[in-house]
Amino acid sequence: MLDLLDTWYEVNGVRTLERTAVAYLPDGTRIVATANDADNTNPRAGGRHSGRIPLTLDELTAIATTGALAVTAPVLPAVPLMRSCGAFTDGNGLS
């Protein structure tokens, strides 16, 4: 199974173009390949954006479905999952 996304997001007036391919493999693993138009070669430059994403969805799909990236050893069932370190907001703010 494969999920593909070709989108953009904007933070503080800076728009970033992004493409993502997520492959859900039969062994239960998930491989995510993402590319965007941000130039991260010089973090002090403030994140320039080219307006062009260097990889197509087909190329990202090829990366995500490459057999060499699949799990080579089963994950032990006794290993607990890591807690999420992300944040979620529904955008309602204070009422």
Side-chain angles (χ1 to χ4, degrees), residues 35-55:
N36 63 41
D37 71 332
D39 177 1
N40 295 317
T41 57
N42 182 0
R44 294 177 190 219
R48 297 174 298 224
H49 296 269
S50 68
R52 295 182 308 125
I53 302 173
L55 297 172

Side-chain angles (χ1 to χ4, degrees), residues 10-27:
E10 191 169 314
V11 177
N12 294 330
V14 177
R15 182 173 290 191
T16 300
L17 307 176
E18 184 173 81
R19 289 189 182 123
T20 303
V22 182
Y24 302 92
L25 303 181
D27 65 359

